[in-house]
Amino acid sequence: QENANLVKRLTLERNLAEKLRRETQEQSRIRGKFFAAANHDIRQPLQAIGIYTQLLSTIDDPQVKEIVTQLSKSTKALQTLVAQILEVSRLETGHIQINKEPIALKALLEDLATQFRPLAEQKGLVFRVKTVDVNVFADPQLLIRALRNLLNNALAYTQTGSIYLAARIIGGRYVSICVVDSGCGIKPEEQKHVFEHFYRAESSRNAAEGYGLGLSIVRMICEQLQLDLSLSSKPGRGSIFRIRLPIHEAEQARIFKQTQSEEMAEKPLPVSLALIEDNAMVRESLSSLLRSWGAKVMSGAAFDSALQSYFQKGQKVDAVICDFNLGEDEANG
């Protein structure tokens, strides 16, 4: 009888555990679907607003330009906040794909320096970089995102002096990447809180605009990649943020080629384009922007009969700009 009762209890516990597992999987699936929809549906109107703001900036009226400048700042701030909240949500719920691979650290840091040096110089700051020619093993996109957040943080809270991006080898097995600034610094009692959501240290609240999410994203990325993250800081003297990564055993396994993106020259764009986008706001705003550049645009919500006829008549089309997911039973971008 005791054995029968034990078997019955274990069976019930097993069934309960299986039920909880299925419920957890279903909740995870629902959350993933929600974040995918939120990422698409929230960003689309913001993207359209940004494009229309860019068009308004061409109006040569001082009063309008001032309004457009403030509108552009507000839109960018909202885009940043939405992107950070969605990123925090994805990291917290595990809805993020991790692809670890060898990374040429020297090229990665030099590329970041190329991007951030002009921003530092605009504020009158000195930007220095010191690299090591070694491969590390991590997810390149997540690592770049974490370092960008650290550099943006240093740039926001440093008013005079310098920002230093440096790497050094530790014990032949690890590399420590440091972001050093000469900003306002963080009090010892506040340092344990700076990686929390929406937390801003007292000394930095009036120094720059922000939402207190950048460093929490860095912490969650390091947790996902199992990297060591540390902070040293002295009020009034600046801060040092460090990320420690393992060196990849197979040196030179993969070298990233550094490319510099060239800004589009401000001249007419005499091309014919087909634009396929199912979101009306984005389609109309992007069509207007392309036409303002001098392009001829044929647009549609899908690859419908009108667009098919356009192609079949042998009309010149230099490029097709197409949304990726055009809905069920529609041609996939």
Side-chain angles (χ1 to χ4, degrees):
Q1 183 64 35
E2 288 178 356
N3 287 340
N5 290 337
L6 178 61
V7 170
K8 184 177 180 180
R9 190 182 72 188
L10 291 175
T11 301
L12 288 172
E13 290 177 353
R14 184 191 64 187
N15 292 340
L16 178 60
E18 178 63 21
K19 179 183 177 183
L20 291 173
R21 184 187 67 82
R22 288 197 299 266
E23 289 177 352
T24 301
Q25 285 182 337
E26 178 62 14
Q27 290 171 2
S28 178
R29 185 191 68 80
I30 292 172
R31 283 196 299 266
K33 188 175 180 180
F34 166 78
F35 291 132
N39 187 54
H40 181 271
D41 294 343
I42 295 176
R43 289 188 181 185
Q44 291 282 21
L46 287 174
Q47 182 184 1
I49 292 171
I51 293 172
Y52 280 127
T53 303
Q54 186 176 348
L55 286 169
L56 287 172
S57 66
T58 61
I59 299 175
D60 191 16
D61 184 326
Q63 189 173 3
V64 172
K65 282 187 177 293
E66 177 62 26
I67 295 173
V68 170
T69 299
Q70 297 304 320
L71 179 61
S72 179
K73 288 181 180 179
S74 299
T75 302
K76 288 179 180 179
L78 184 57
Q79 288 174 331
T80 299
L81 179 59
V82 168
Q84 288 184 339
I85 290 175
L86 290 173
E87 187 170 10
V88 166
S89 301
R90 287 200 308 271
L91 288 166
E92 282 189 332
T93 57
H95 287 93
I96 190 164
Q97 189 173 357
I98 297 176
N99 298 305
K100 290 186 178 183
E101 58 184 73
I103 305 170
L105 188 61
K106 182 178 180 181
L108 187 149
L109 296 184
E110 287 178 347
D111 186 46
L112 285 172
T114 300
Q115 297 170 36
F116 279 88
R117 182 175 286 111
L119 300 176
E121 290 175 350
Q122 285 178 8
K123 291 189 66 174
L125 304 174
V126 176
F127 190 98
R128 295 179 295 162
V129 61
K130 179 182 179 182
T131 67
V132 288
D133 192 8
V134 65
N135 285 4
V136 295
F137 193 66
D139 183 301
Q141 298 304 319
L142 290 177
L143 178 60
I144 289 172
R145 200 175 304 171
L147 291 174
R148 279 179 180 274
N149 280 8
L150 290 178
L151 288 168
N152 279 322
N153 186 76
L155 197 62
Y157 298 115
T158 304
Q159 306 306 321
T160 59
S162 63
I163 296 174
Y164 190 28
L165 175 63
R168 65 187 182 96
I169 297 175
I170 302 175
R173 295 181 57 196
Y174 297 96
V175 170
S176 177
I177 304 176
C178 305
V179 175
V180 187
D181 65 64
S182 58
C184 51
I186 306 167
K187 296 178 181 179
E189 62 271 19
E190 293 182 313
Q191 292 180 20
K192 62 182 179 180
H193 298 295
V194 295
F195 296 108
E196 298 173 0
H197 299 333
F198 298 106
Y199 183 85
R200 296 183 66 190
E202 183 181 350
S203 57
S204 65
R205 286 171 191 164
N206 297 322
E209 296 179 359
Y211 303 102
L213 286 172
L215 292 181
S216 67
I217 290 173
V218 175
R219 171 184 59 80
M220 287 187 289
I221 288 176
C222 289
E223 288 175 353
Q224 292 283 342
L225 297 180
Q226 298 178 325
L227 305 178
D228 291 334
L229 173 65
S230 60
L231 162 67
S232 301
S233 184
K234 291 185 177 181
R237 297 184 60 182
S239 304
I240 304 174
F241 291 87
R242 301 180 183 87
I243 297 178
R244 192 179 73 163
L245 304 91
I247 294 176
H248 194 256
E249 296 177 357
E251 279 300 305
Q252 308 304 320
R254 181 178 178 182
I255 302 297
F256 289 165
K257 293 183 179 180
Q258 183 178 356
T259 58
Q260 300 295 329
S261 60
E262 298 181 358
E263 293 186 2
M264 181 187 296
E266 292 186 4
K267 58 183 180 181
L269 192 68
V271 296
S272 295
L273 305 174
L275 171 63
I276 306 174
E277 166 61 68
D278 56 355
N279 185 283
M281 284 189 298
V282 174
R283 183 174 67 251
E284 292 168 7
S285 59
L286 190 53
S287 295
S288 299
L289 180 65
L290 293 169
R291 290 190 180 102
S292 75
W293 291 348
K296 180 182 178 182
V297 182
M298 175 66 179
S299 65
F303 189 59
D304 53 19
S305 57
L307 277 173
Q308 291 180 34
S309 174
Y310 187 77
F311 280 96
Q312 289 168 357
K313 289 179 180 178
Q315 299 290 341
K316 179 187 176 185
V317 177
D318 294 292
V320 177
I321 301 174
C322 185
D323 188 13
F324 179 74
N325 186 1
L326 291 168
E328 191 173 354
D329 299 328
E330 295 290 351
N332 194 310

